[in-house]
Amino acid sequence: MKVQEIGAILEGEFLCGGEWAENMDVDFGYAADLMSDVLAFARAGSMLITGLTNIQIVRTAQMMDIPAVVFVRGKRPQEDTVRLAAQSRIPLLVTMKSMYETSGVLFAAGLPACIIPHREAGGEEH
Amino acid sequence: MKDPVVLDFPVEGEDFLAAGEASSSVKDTLKMLGVPSSICRRAAIITYEAEMNLVIHAGGGMLRARIDEEKVVLVTEDQGPGIADIDQAMREGYSTASDQVREMGFGAGMGLPNIKRNADRLDIESTVGQGTILTASIYFVGEPQPSA
């Protein structure tokens, strides 16, 4: 799904990278307010949906090959966050929708989830 | 690539603005060297988690990446408080991070397990009161992938 299309579905505003969004695809969605979870479970090519706005969101996106980020609940990041995202060519989008609604409308529009592998307590995977 | 490429970065403790810069450079270098993107990503996850540990827990330290034709070896070294019980620290959900760190979305007790998951080999040497050396290796070919 094109990032530009996601912007339209979410009635969002691009804080940076709107000009790249037309040609940028995401394959999955992952929603979390816990970067530790994103680092463990988000797949490459996922749109990150989050309510956190600090600069580490963009760092996390860089590391995880996350092409674009949407901030929910109308939350706006500080300037240094936007600057790093612009340098890293990661479009940032802000929507007034909640995390639940954002995830729901994107899922309904056909953006698949990242499947989390089954794990035993203690973190061993199968 | 004939000679190994070695990158060294000092990492400041508690500097949350700069945290991740070293990992970002390591990832860029791996990409530049033509390392496959899935391996770049695993290395980036390991370095970033380890770098955040230096920033959050250790009062800073050194991050080193050594890349040769067979593997990338990622090492962090610090003079922090050390890890009293490594088995406990390897369990998901166990964390000693502050509320400030948790508010930033870290400190959920996922870091070391996530490093282990992405590494082909992981060694942690730690002495309480003296510090920790973490060494994680990813092999480009021939070694088993971590269970997925």
Side-chain angles (χ1 to χ4, degrees):
Chain A
M1 189 181 288
K2 296 279 182 227
V3 174
Q4 192 181 47
E5 189 185 344
I6 288 175
I9 291 169
L10 298 177
E11 296 161 11
E13 175 195 339
F14 281 99
L15 302 174
C16 71
E19 64 274 30
W20 316 314
E22 195 179 343
N23 297 314
M24 190 177 272
D25 282 297
V26 287
D27 301 321
F28 309 95
Y30 192 82
D33 275 355
L34 204 51
M35 285 307 105
S36 307
D37 271 1
V38 178
L39 285 163
F41 303 127
R43 294 181 61 170
S46 298
M47 181 95 194
L48 175 60
I49 300 160
T50 187
L52 287 180
T53 57
N54 63 67
I55 194 166
Q56 295 307 323
I57 293 351
V58 178
R59 292 279 182 216
T60 302
Q62 281 180 325
M63 298 305 143
M64 300 299 288
D65 297 332
I66 285 173
V69 178
V70 53
F71 299 111
V72 296
R73 310 189 285 273
K75 297 190 92 173
R76 284 170 179 273
Q78 290 183 328
E79 241 175 69
D80 44 24
T81 305
V82 180
R83 201 178 309 128
L84 181 64
Q87 279 169 13
S88 317
R89 296 186 68 83
I90 295 172
L92 299 182
L93 187 64
V94 59
T95 178
M96 292 307 293
K97 296 184 192 303
S98 69
M99 184 179 277
Y100 179 74
E101 187 181 359
T102 300
S103 305
V105 294
L106 292 182
F107 192 81
L111 188 67
C114 299
I115 304 300
I116 295 178
H118 176 72
R119 288 142 50 249
E120 296 278 296
E124 290 302 313
E125 290 177 6
H126 291 261
Chain B
M1 187 189 332
K2 281 184 180 161
D3 295 323
V5 176
V6 179
L7 306 168
D8 273 308
F9 302 92
V11 176
E12 292 289 322
E14 306 284 318
D15 185 349
F16 292 102
L17 202 59
E21 278 179 8
S23 305
S24 192
S25 300
V26 171
K27 192 181 184 196
D28 288 346
T29 303
L30 287 169
K31 275 194 202 165
M32 213 177 62
L33 292 170
V35 173
S37 66
S38 63
I39 288 179
C40 290
R41 188 168 183 269
R42 284 165 60 200
I45 292 169
I46 291 168
T47 47
Y48 187 51
E49 293 275 20
E51 186 179 359
M52 288 309 290
N53 281 346
L54 292 180
V55 174
I56 293 167
H57 298 289
M62 283 296 295
L63 189 153
R64 166 173 292 187
R66 189 179 186 284
I67 306 144
D68 62 27
E69 287 179 357
E70 295 175 337
K71 62 188 179 300
V72 50
V73 180
L74 306 157
V75 180
T76 58
E77 192 165 352
D78 67 65
Q79 276 87 51
I83 303 166
D85 184 341
I86 291 176
D87 287 342
Q88 190 178 36
M90 291 303 299
R91 278 207 288 275
E92 274 190 16
Y94 178 80
S95 177
T96 57
S98 66
D99 286 348
Q100 185 211 348
V101 166
R102 288 169 197 264
E103 279 163 21
M104 292 182 67
F106 291 92
M110 306 283 281
L112 287 177
N114 203 18
I115 289 173
K116 188 180 174 192
R117 193 158 45 224
N118 283 285
D120 291 320
R121 275 196 63 173
L122 174 64
D123 294 302
I124 301 172
E125 292 170 49
S126 191
T127 308
V128 172
Q130 290 186 25
T132 301
I133 302 173
L134 177 148
T135 308
S137 308
I138 303 175
Y139 294 86
F140 299 148
V141 283
E143 284 282 320
Q145 299 283 307
S147 56

